[in-house]
Amino acid sequence: MATGVSVENINPKVLRCEYAVRGEVAIHAQHLQQQLQTQPGSLPFDEIVYCNIGNPQSLGQKPITFFREVLALCNHPNLLEREEIKSLFSTDAIARAKKILSMIPGRATGAYSHSQGIKGLRDEIAAGIASRDGFPANADDIFLTNGASPGVHMMMQLLIRNNRDGIMCPIPQYSLYSASLALHGGALVPYYLDESSGWGLEVSKLKNQLEDARSKGITVRALVVINPGNPTGQILDEQQQYELVKFCKDEELVLLADEVYQENIYVTNKKINSFKKIARSMGYNGDDLQLVSLHSVSKGYYGECGKRGGYMEVTGFSTPVREQLYKIASVNLCSNITGQILASLIMDPPKAGDASYDLYEEERDNILKSLSRRAKAMESAFNSIDGITCNKTEGAMYLFPRIYLPQKAIEAARAVNKAPDVFYALRLLDTTGIVVTPGSGFGQVAGTWHVRCTILPQEEKIPSMISRFREFHEEFMSQYRD
Amino acid sequence: MATGVSVENINPKVLRCEYAVRGEVAIHAQHLQQQLQTQPGSLPFDEIVYCNIGNPQSLGQKPITFFREVLALCNHPNLLEREEIKSLFSTDAIARAKKILSMIPGRATGAYSHSQGIKGLRDEIAAGIASRDGFPANADDIFLTNGASPGVHMMMQLLIRNNRDGIMCPIPQYSLYSASLALHGGALVPYYLDESSGWGLEVSKLKNQLEDARSKGITVRALVVINPGNPTGQILDEQQQYELVKFCKDEELVLLADEVYQENIYVTNKKINSFKKIARSMGYNGDDLQLVSLHSVSKGYYGECGKRGGYMEVTGFSTPVREQLYKIASVNLCSNITGQILASLIMDPPKAGDASYDLYEEERDNILKSLSRRAKAMESAFNSIDGITCNKTEGAMYLFPRIYLPQKAIEAARAVNKAPDVFYALRLLDTTGIVVTPGSGFGQVAGTWHVRCTILPQEEKIPSMISRFREFHEEFMSQYRD
């Protein structure tokens, strides 16, 4: 190898960054998958079950037909001039594609758009937000992005000046936040969710964490909240949301609200309120609170991860700051137009009376009901295994079971220089083909060990998966019993 | 407005970043466009002509039919089960869509892929590179990206540790490089292209620039070369390429080859050689040279900017460094699948004998011939205007005419705190609706002034556009004549 650039002289922030959901365990799974293809029968299982990442369509979830019809027509607008499409596409998909194309000069879905995204699509999204919240939304506040992740990076780029700038993040948190903070060289200021109360949040404790960080010379610039929680699956109470909003207002923190799972709810006694709705219903507007709300086409009932669509709604920032955000967006020109279109579709799906509505409703409800059944089945299965406890998944796509590892297992892990939960997850993978993400990638109270496991395996596969998991766990525990 | 985050306390690297092609002039054009819509007749023109950015489809260029057929089918794979498609899609597009879908587990174009991109598509791209160069290429070296820009950012993120790390860039250069360097806090080490010899490059002078930077304590990590040039449109001689490769090898610099215009050639006496081909034909392999080659679906005859597809081919880096690059890629999960598919299609278009070939060839040749005619027409028009000289555009999509501004114009610009070429471009826009990008956004020899103007306006519009440009320029010059 040529010697100019080596791992000794690259940017140390890159070295420090860890992104667990695509980290060591996931990479090992890719190698095993190749081995299964080249040497079938060489492993104790014949399939890798990816529960490490919220990627529904990779595990068999079908896309919503209406969305894909519109995307096909927008990708090949010449089809709209042909009679034959009437038997291939629903009338409302045809009408929607025409409407979307009419928003794009020259119907050119192959052209760069405005760096915030196509104005007409942002109008649709703003209307969808307004109708969801009952408070107005403005297309100028919307930045369309390639999934939600680039929005997070943009905000980090804007806010982090050096390693004395910090962002408050829940622990456990989605690894994107810690990874992005590491890449931008900022400090993660933790606030802990309480496992014993269903990953509850006590706003009074936030103040302590904030003051602790400030006493160490950290300028805390924003607070991340993920609702429903990732990896923890809890849904915040309305009261907690009020307190969080007030806290951010009083402390002049940007509220960075990760609301990408807003459609994934599996309980009937709670509902999702966007933080914008909460803030506006408290009478707070852009003069009181700097709020960024993130959404994505990758989750919900649509699960269109590969399309890389999403948006952030940005309110409460001055025009000069907005101009700087626009500049950051413009350096990558624009997000992909297919993802932009899809982001508008999820915020304005078919309505009762539309030709596609019945099919759309059936597809959506089947997916959400199935996810709800899977969440409950896997949660009770985990709770039935000795040495594992698991909080209820109220929303999102994950379980975050706690694994009570014996001291001998912890020592065995240390002996091979692995975190104990990484050691456990690698052994699980090697034995069963099941891929989970170790809890240490999300953060956890010291001395506790978890794994994040998606609720996405196909329903018919869950019993056998759980039984393999149980068998592995029992063997592991008996091997290392104290 | 809430006061936590203000322009005074954001990341100063963001403030320092400038991205001219979407900068002040382009933003002003957007405002004028809105004014034309809301108050027709209020401006001295009735149309904005965007010559500031290489965005062919926004100016009427049609996409290649075969590519769009494949994208439509891959976006809505259910279509493949329907008889009716036989009259709507070419047989080879149907076959290609089936082949691509067979590379994706579960045919799930809505799933996240491997963070480098779908393996089967990378295989196709590697085969396309090997066939282009006559030297092998490996799918493991390919990173699929949302256009070429994210590849540049990834390399900057990897290489730039602090403001003592530098990258050699041509002056004039494509503003992405200076913008990305500013965001990552590195130093731009210039090497100058010689306008008087058709933007020629003297490799012997590179050494001086490098040593000058080193003497100032800058660690130079990479050299950017853009071939064909942007904004300058020249094509490098083979001999210059050999010398550049040897220079990078000897000095242990990463060679960052921006080859996104490799299909855009308008002269018959030169051809495009990829830097990988040049290096391999010199007998250099991954032990000798660290080479990154960038390509994109946005340019060429395809011009699919809005699809955000592209790749970088990375050779000569050790496994640990490659793992770090993979990690950076994985933090954004993967690039959009539509763009990934399109990147494979441009590297493996229809072949003679395929059902789509005749149409494909006709569409491709018409676009390239028309671009060539436009380049020549606009170049001679600029050269016929008093006070403007313009080098020949051998490739890419731009002219970079030099504007000989009178001293009084320069003083008038300074009086309103504008760079003289920005002042000129704003006046041009306000008077004619023509949007160009000021040369200062690309860098230019001190005391010279340029604008970058794409060759993309529709052919029938060029005569009137040129005559408006000429008229404006003459008035401007007579107003400020010394």
Side-chain angles (χ1 to χ4, degrees):
Chain A
M1 284 299 134
T3 50
V5 174
S6 71
V7 81
E8 285 75 32
N9 63 26
I10 63 169
N11 180 358
K13 291 175 189 163
V14 171
L15 289 174
R16 277 196 292 271
C17 164
E18 280 187 30
Y19 191 55
V21 300
R22 294 234 158 172
E24 180 180 4
V25 178
I27 291 171
H28 184 52
Q30 286 171 3
H31 295 153
L32 294 183
Q33 174 123 38
Q34 279 170 10
Q35 187 179 333
L36 280 178
Q37 276 160 12
T38 53
Q39 304 160 254
S42 64
L43 292 172
F45 45 84
D46 51 19
E47 185 186 24
I48 305 281
V49 183
Y50 287 99
C51 302
N52 59 312
I53 193 158
N55 194 9
Q57 294 190 26
S58 76
L59 296 176
Q61 182 177 309
K62 295 287 168 235
I64 299 293
T65 303
F66 174 80
F67 294 167
R68 293 305 193 93
E69 288 181 347
V70 176
L71 293 187
L73 293 167
C74 289
N75 266 294
H76 190 32
N78 289 357
L79 288 174
L80 290 166
E81 288 146 32
R82 302 290 294 271
E83 267 304 303
E84 299 96 313
I85 61 167
K86 290 189 179 157
S87 68
L88 286 172
F89 295 88
S90 59
T91 52
D92 53 339
I94 294 170
R96 183 69 71 94
K98 286 181 178 168
K99 182 178 174 195
I100 289 170
L101 290 167
S102 76
M103 298 167 179
I104 307 174
R107 310 201 313 174
T109 54
Y112 294 127
S113 70
H114 186 284
S115 292
Q116 288 183 231
I118 293 163
K119 172 66 163 54
L121 299 177
R122 287 186 279 129
D123 284 329
E124 302 271 308
I125 290 168
I129 294 170
S131 138
R132 177 194 72 192
D133 292 344
F135 292 95
N138 187 334
D140 293 341
D141 298 337
I142 310 285
F143 287 73
L144 286 163
T145 47
N146 290 313
S149 305
V152 174
H153 292 303
M154 282 168 69
M155 291 310 302
M156 297 285 183
Q157 192 142 44
L158 187 79
L159 296 176
I160 303 296
R161 292 163 294 190
N162 54 52
N163 62 6
R164 311 307 286 163
D165 278 336
I167 310 271
M168 296 190 82
C169 296
I171 295 295
Q173 51 93 39
Y174 175 41
S175 330
L176 169 65
Y177 295 97
S178 49
S180 184
L181 265 167
L183 283 177
H184 289 93
L188 190 152
V189 177
Y191 66 90
Y192 286 85
L193 305 177
D194 177 24
E195 186 163 16
S196 68
S197 63
W199 301 113
L201 166 66
E202 272 188 70
V203 177
S204 61
K205 290 194 181 157
L206 285 178
K207 180 78 179 166
N208 298 339
Q209 297 284 353
L210 176 66
E211 284 180 355
D212 182 53
R214 284 178 175 162
S215 74
K216 291 171 183 155
I218 303 289
T219 303
V220 181
R221 311 221 63 188
L223 180 141
V224 171
V225 60
I226 312 173
N227 188 40
N230 175 5
T232 40
Q234 84 289 13
I235 295 177
L236 289 171
D237 295 330
E238 223 170 290
Q239 185 57 33
Q240 290 174 316
Q241 289 189 276
Y242 287 124
E243 289 171 21
L244 272 168
V245 166
K246 183 155 190 318
F247 177 76
C248 289
K249 174 191 178 294
D250 291 347
E251 302 293 346
E252 295 198 340
L253 302 178
V254 177
L255 178 52
L256 212 55
D258 180 336
E259 299 177 321
V260 303
Y261 296 100
Q262 59 189 265
E263 303 272 5
N264 294 103
I265 318 169
Y266 313 120
V267 289
T268 49
N269 63 331
K270 287 190 176 179
K271 63 186 286 249
I272 294 287
N273 298 295
S274 78
F275 274 94
K276 177 140 168 271
K277 177 181 175 181
I278 295 288
R280 295 295 178 271
S281 67
M282 294 167 78
Y284 294 167
N285 58 29
D287 290 338
D288 304 299
L289 181 71
Q290 296 183 322
L291 174 62
V292 178
S293 165
L294 297 155
H295 197 13
S296 166
V297 306
S298 302
K299 311 302 173 188
Y301 56 88
Y302 16 89
E304 295 275 19
C305 306
K307 301 300 179 194
R308 313 308 295 121
Y311 71 80
M312 58 177 187
E313 186 192 13
V314 176
T315 53
F317 293 86
S318 67
T319 302
V321 173
R322 297 266 300 250
E323 286 171 354
Q324 296 299 318
L325 255 187
Y326 174 83
K327 188 169 68 180
I328 297 175
S330 78
V331 175
N332 278 318
L333 297 158
C334 66
S335 63
N336 83 88
I337 306 295
T338 303
Q340 291 192 24
I341 292 170
L342 197 44
S344 81
L345 295 177
I346 68 163
M347 296 306 286
D348 187 17
K351 306 247 175 319
D354 291 350
S356 287
Y357 184 73
D358 290 346
L359 177 62
Y360 158 76
E361 189 186 34
E362 184 191 337
E363 291 174 337
R364 180 195 64 192
D365 290 353
N366 282 344
I367 289 167
L368 289 174
K369 282 179 192 157
S370 168
L371 286 173
S372 178
R373 286 193 300 270
R374 285 180 265 175
K376 288 179 181 61
M378 291 176 71
E379 172 209 321
S380 34
F382 278 125
N383 279 317
S384 76
I385 299 176
D386 227 29
I388 297 184
T389 59
C390 186
N391 276 329
K392 187 183 184 117
T393 287
E394 299 176 327
M397 291 184 174
Y398 313 99
L399 296 154
F400 198 61
R402 178 170 174 186
I403 318 284
Y404 293 78
L405 293 177
Q407 191 55 34
K408 277 187 190 156
I410 293 168
E411 283 156 17
R414 304 282 189 224
V416 292
N417 208 19
K418 304 266 181 219
D421 51 5
V422 174
F423 180 76
Y424 179 89
L426 286 169
R427 284 283 295 274
L428 173 69
L429 171 58
D430 282 329
T431 313
T432 65
I434 299 168
V435 196
V436 296
T437 305
S440 49
F442 305 93
Q444 50 202 350
V445 168
T448 70
W449 308 106
H450 301 77
V451 296
R452 190 186 79 164
C453 181
T454 71
I455 58 170
L456 299 175
Q458 284 160 305
E459 281 192 85
E460 61 275 21
K461 291 188 176 175
I462 289 181
S464 86
M465 176 207 150
I466 285 291
S467 95
R468 277 183 290 156
F469 200 121
R470 181 192 308 275
E471 199 179 327
F472 157 77
H473 181 79
E474 285 167 1
E475 278 175 25
F476 182 93
M477 294 298 270
S478 62
Q479 181 182 353
Y480 293 108
R481 203 172 304 283
D482 292 324
Chain B
M1 284 297 136
T3 49
V5 174
S6 71
V7 81
E8 285 75 32
N9 63 25
I10 64 169
N11 180 359
K13 291 175 189 163
V14 171
L15 289 174
R16 276 195 293 270
C17 165
E18 279 187 30
Y19 192 54
V21 299
R22 294 232 161 176
E24 178 180 3
V25 178
I27 291 170
H28 183 53
Q30 286 170 4
H31 294 154
L32 293 183
Q33 174 122 39
Q34 279 169 11
Q35 187 180 332
L36 280 178
Q37 276 159 11
T38 52
Q39 303 160 253
S42 63
L43 293 171
F45 44 85
D46 51 21
E47 185 186 25
I48 305 282
V49 183
Y50 286 99
C51 302
N52 59 313
I53 192 158
N55 194 9
Q57 294 190 26
S58 76
L59 295 176
Q61 183 177 307
K62 295 288 168 233
I64 299 292
T65 304
F66 173 82
F67 294 166
R68 294 304 192 91
E69 288 181 347
V70 176
L71 293 187
L73 292 167
C74 289
N75 266 294
H76 190 32
N78 289 358
L79 288 174
L80 290 166
E81 288 147 31
R82 302 290 294 271
E83 267 304 302
E84 297 97 313
I85 61 167
K86 289 186 181 160
S87 68
L88 286 173
F89 295 88
S90 60
T91 53
D92 53 340
I94 294 171
R96 183 68 72 94
K98 286 180 177 168
K99 184 180 174 193
I100 289 171
L101 290 168
S102 76
M103 298 168 180
I104 307 175
R107 311 200 313 174
T109 54
Y112 294 127
S113 71
H114 186 284
S115 292
Q116 287 183 232
I118 292 163
K119 172 65 163 56
L121 299 177
R122 286 185 282 129
D123 284 329
E124 301 272 308
I125 290 168
I129 294 171
S131 139
R132 178 195 70 191
D133 292 343
F135 292 96
N138 187 334
D140 293 341
D141 298 337
I142 311 284
F143 286 73
L144 286 164
T145 47
N146 291 313
S149 306
V152 174
H153 292 303
M154 282 169 68
M155 291 310 302
M156 298 285 182
Q157 190 142 45
L158 187 79
L159 296 176
I160 303 297
R161 293 163 294 190
N162 53 52
N163 62 7
R164 311 307 284 163
D165 279 336
I167 309 270
M168 296 190 80
C169 296
I171 296 295
Q173 50 94 41
Y174 175 40
S175 331
L176 170 65
Y177 295 98
S178 50
S180 184
L181 264 167
L183 283 177
H184 289 94
L188 190 152
V189 177
Y191 66 90
Y192 286 84
L193 306 176
D194 177 24
E195 186 163 14
S196 68
S197 63
W199 300 113
L201 166 67
E202 270 188 72
V203 178
S204 61
K205 289 195 180 156
L206 286 178
K207 180 77 181 166
N208 298 340
Q209 297 285 352
L210 175 67
E211 285 180 351
D212 182 53
R214 284 178 174 162
S215 74
K216 291 173 182 154
I218 303 289
T219 304
V220 180
R221 312 222 62 188
L223 180 141
V224 171
V225 60
I226 311 173
N227 187 40
N230 174 5
T232 41
Q234 84 288 14
I235 295 178
L236 289 170
D237 295 329
E238 223 171 290
Q239 185 56 35
Q240 290 175 316
Q241 289 189 276
Y242 287 124
E243 289 172 21
L244 272 170
V245 166
K246 185 157 189 316
F247 178 75
C248 288
K249 174 191 177 295
D250 291 347
E251 302 293 347
E252 296 197 338
L253 302 179
V254 176
L255 177 52
L256 212 56
D258 180 336
E259 299 177 321
V260 303
Y261 296 99
Q262 60 189 263
E263 304 272 6
N264 295 101
I265 318 169
Y266 313 119
V267 290
T268 49
N269 64 330
K270 287 191 176 178
K271 62 186 287 249
I272 293 288
N273 298 293
S274 78
F275 274 94
K276 178 139 168 273
K277 178 181 175 183
I278 295 289
R280 296 296 177 268
S281 68
M282 293 166 79
Y284 294 167
N285 57 30
D287 290 337
D288 304 299
L289 182 70
Q290 297 183 321
L291 175 62
V292 178
S293 165
L294 297 155
H295 198 13
S296 165
V297 306
S298 302
K299 311 302 173 188
Y301 56 87
Y302 15 91
E304 295 274 20
C305 306
K307 302 298 181 195
R308 310 311 295 122
Y311 72 79
M312 59 176 186
E313 185 191 13
V314 175
T315 53
F317 294 86
S318 67
T319 302
V321 173
R322 296 266 299 251
E323 287 171 356
Q324 296 299 319
L325 254 188
Y326 173 83
K327 188 170 68 181
I328 297 174
S330 77
V331 175
N332 278 318
L333 297 157
C334 66
S335 63
N336 84 88
I337 306 296
T338 304
Q340 291 191 24
I341 292 169
L342 197 45
S344 81
L345 296 177
I346 68 162
M347 296 306 285
D348 187 18
K351 307 245 175 319
D354 292 349
S356 288
Y357 184 72
D358 290 346
L359 177 62
Y360 158 75
E361 190 186 33
E362 185 191 338
E363 291 175 337
R364 180 195 64 191
D365 290 354
N366 282 345
I367 289 168
L368 290 173
K369 282 179 193 157
S370 168
L371 287 173
S372 177
R373 285 193 300 269
R374 285 180 264 175
K376 288 179 182 60
M378 290 175 70
E379 172 209 320
S380 28
F382 277 125
N383 279 316
S384 75
I385 299 176
D386 226 29
I388 297 184
T389 59
C390 185
N391 276 328
K392 187 182 184 120
T393 287
E394 299 176 326
M397 291 184 174
Y398 313 99
L399 297 154
F400 199 60
R402 179 170 174 185
I403 317 285
Y404 292 77
L405 294 177
Q407 191 56 35
K408 278 189 189 152
I410 293 167
E411 282 157 18
R414 303 282 188 225
V416 291
N417 206 20
K418 305 264 180 220
D421 50 6
V422 174
F423 180 76
Y424 179 88
L426 286 169
R427 285 281 295 272
L428 173 68
L429 170 57
D430 281 329
T431 314
T432 65
I434 299 169
V435 196
V436 297
T437 305
S440 49
F442 305 93
Q444 51 202 349
V445 168
T448 71
W449 307 107
H450 301 77
V451 296
R452 189 185 80 164
C453 180
T454 71
I455 58 170
L456 299 175
Q458 284 160 306
E459 281 190 84
E460 61 274 23
K461 292 189 176 173
I462 289 181
S464 86
M465 176 205 149
I466 285 291
S467 96
R468 276 182 291 157
F469 200 121
R470 182 191 307 272
E471 200 178 328
F472 157 77
H473 180 80
E474 285 167 0
E475 277 176 26
F476 182 94
M477 295 297 269
S478 61
Q479 180 180 356
Y480 293 108
R481 203 172 304 282
D482 292 323

